[in-house]
Amino acid sequence: MSDLANGVNLNQLTVNVFCVHGPYSRVRMIREITVILLIGFVAWAYQATCPPPPNVCGSPGGPAITAPRIKLRDGRHLAYKEHGVSKELAKYKIIFVHGFGSSRHDAAIAANLSPEVVDELGIYIVSFDRPGYGESDPDPKRTRKSLALDIEELADQLGLGSKFYVVGFSMGGQVVWSCLKYISHRLTGAALIAPVINYWWPGFPANLTKEAYYLQLPQDQWALRVAHYAPWLAYWWNTQKLFPPSAVVARRPEIFSAQDVQLMPKLAVRQINRAQVIQQGVHESLFRDMMIGFGTWEFDPMDLENPFPNGEGSVHLWQGDEDRLVPVILQRYISKKLPWIHYHEIPGSGHLIADADGMTEAIIKALLLGDKVTLS
């Protein structure tokens, strides 16, 4: 018997059913949509924070290999560039460690030393691409110690002998601290040129690091907070468009001192290879640098002991008092905590201190010969 025959109105039945079950269906629908949106947000967030794989040199579709390279203990390759006299004839052998956003081509001490000084003293310099930069393979497992061991292995494979000098600029200066910690027995001397500070080194008084930290631009304060407290967000933070990313990554003019700006034309020649610096990707070069440099260190440089207690070598730290990237007040504190370091503070100089007239020669002669600085 049909519904109509029983006097049942189908439209009314539908309305009654909806009235009874409709609100519960709407709640369920809202709940399901919320879950879907949440899943979508999580997927987007994961994709946004997960950097693309590096475009490794020599891989299919990757950049070409043009530099000489050594193969390291773990299978990675390290690209290098030699300067000065041949290592077979050299009296002094120096490994130079480049700074943030640079490469083996940015060896200021090699570019600024006169050929006469190089030949007279017999100086050999080798610069190399730190992991992820230029043509050196990325190292997702990079640590402070692994960088020092890379340098030791580079020296061994190039036959530099049992002892050598290390010179590091900016972020490369942080690597020199690691060399002093882990391979000091291989060093004849070391120079740190405007070495970048980690504001979380426990040896600093809290009030001093707070003062120095707030001398930075606000976006750099946030970029370093992310690198230290949430390194897994480093890629997203420095590529997103919602907030200003690191001014250092963006190379904003505010980060340079008056002297730095004047020196910029001298750097133009070295900028020819600028595109090669991050050709394998920004994460394993720039952002990995930030995570390692401003993460939690397993040692405090201010706890280091003099690696040359008998005067068989020396450690020098060079700093401009107008450096806008590395606060001079923190370098002064380090020099007081470590009296065995030869501290050289240059009035009127900024971060690009090694490119100022006469500075490279002064830095090298102080390191190799113990000469006192006499700048006009």
Side-chain angles (χ1 to χ4, degrees):
M1 188 177 292
S2 69
D3 292 329
L4 290 177
N6 287 321
V8 178
N9 187 317
L10 288 177
N11 290 332
Q12 185 63 42
L13 179 63
T14 302
V15 171
N16 290 339
V17 169
F18 178 81
C19 291
V20 173
H21 299 286
Y24 299 99
S25 299
R26 285 199 298 273
V27 169
R28 186 186 308 158
M29 179 177 66
I30 293 172
R31 186 180 299 144
E32 290 174 350
I33 291 175
T34 301
V35 171
I36 292 171
L37 290 175
L38 181 61
I39 292 173
F41 174 78
V42 170
W44 170 84
Y46 175 79
Q47 188 174 23
T49 58
C50 187
N55 191 23
V56 179
C57 288
S59 65
I65 299 171
T66 63
R69 306 199 304 175
I70 63 166
K71 190 172 184 179
L72 296 168
R73 60 202 174 277
D74 58 2
R76 288 181 295 113
H77 294 87
L78 209 65
Y80 64 91
K81 182 177 182 179
E82 296 174 295
H83 318 259
V85 304
S86 70
K87 56 179 176 284
E88 290 79 15
L89 300 176
K91 182 178 180 182
Y92 302 103
K93 299 168 185 177
I94 302 172
I95 296 180
F96 178 78
V97 192
H98 69 77
F100 184 81
S102 303
S103 72
R104 66 189 185 279
H105 298 293
D106 298 307
I109 62 167
N112 297 328
L113 268 184
S114 69
E116 293 77 18
V117 171
V118 171
D119 291 338
E120 177 189 348
L121 297 181
I123 300 174
Y124 165 87
I125 300 170
V126 59
S127 54
F128 68 99
D129 292 331
R130 291 192 284 112
Y133 281 107
E135 296 183 32
S136 287
D137 292 340
D139 183 9
K141 298 179 180 179
R142 194 201 321 176
T143 64
R144 267 73 49 181
K145 185 174 183 178
S146 71
L147 287 166
L149 296 181
D150 285 353
I151 288 175
E152 183 177 36
E153 193 165 355
L154 176 66
D156 289 341
Q157 292 205 34
L158 292 182
L160 301 190
S162 61
K163 298 275 189 177
F164 51 87
Y165 294 87
V166 288
V167 177
F169 167 66
S170 193
M171 290 293 278
Q174 285 195 342
V175 181
V176 174
W177 287 123
S178 295
C179 290
L180 292 170
K181 169 68 176 178
Y182 295 112
I183 61 168
S184 61
H185 60 288
R186 300 296 306 275
L187 305 182
T188 305
L192 303 93
I193 308 171
V196 171
I197 296 294
N198 184 314
Y199 296 88
W200 290 271
W201 286 339
F204 285 129
N207 62 326
L208 189 65
T209 50
K210 181 178 180 181
E211 177 186 351
Y213 191 80
Y214 286 106
L215 292 174
Q216 301 176 100
L217 293 174
Q219 59 261 51
D220 285 332
Q221 296 173 28
W222 279 105
L224 296 194
R225 287 189 188 103
V226 170
H228 183 78
Y229 294 110
W232 51 276
L233 279 177
Y235 176 79
W236 174 81
W237 182 267
N238 288 286
T239 56
Q240 51 78 35
K241 307 299 181 184
L242 300 175
F243 310 104
S246 165
V248 179
V249 173
R251 301 177 73 85
R252 286 183 52 176
E254 298 97 313
I255 66 175
F256 298 107
S257 72
Q259 187 194 64
D260 289 339
V261 173
Q262 293 174 358
L263 292 171
M264 287 296 181
K266 290 184 66 175
L267 276 63
V269 176
R270 302 207 295 267
Q271 297 302 308
I272 295 174
N273 300 290
R274 181 71 190 165
Q276 193 184 76
V277 171
I278 55 172
Q279 64 182 351
Q280 298 185 88
V282 293
H283 185 69
E284 289 299 334
S285 52
L286 304 180
F287 306 152
R288 182 71 62 187
D289 247 11
M290 296 172 70
M291 292 186 286
I292 296 296
F294 299 104
T296 300
W297 284 39
E298 64 274 15
F299 72 95
D300 184 343
M302 283 169 278
D303 291 334
L304 293 176
E305 296 182 356
N306 186 357
F308 309 112
N310 300 317
E312 64 273 29
S314 59
V315 180
H316 298 256
L317 196 160
W318 299 79
Q319 179 67 36
D321 68 348
E322 293 186 7
D323 192 329
R324 295 185 181 178
L325 290 171
V326 184
V328 67
I329 57 175
L330 296 183
Q331 305 287 32
R332 290 170 182 164
Y333 186 84
I334 289 174
S335 70
K336 291 177 181 177
K337 288 277 287 185
L338 302 176
W340 46 268
I341 283 185
H342 299 263
Y343 179 62
H344 312 271
E345 186 174 307
I346 309 302
S349 286
H351 195 62
L352 303 178
I353 183 173
D355 289 292
D357 290 342
M359 278 306 309
T360 293
E361 186 171 329
I363 291 169
I364 293 303
K365 286 188 173 181
L367 177 63
L368 305 183
L369 307 177
D371 286 5
K372 293 184 178 180
V373 181
T374 54
L375 297 172
S376 57

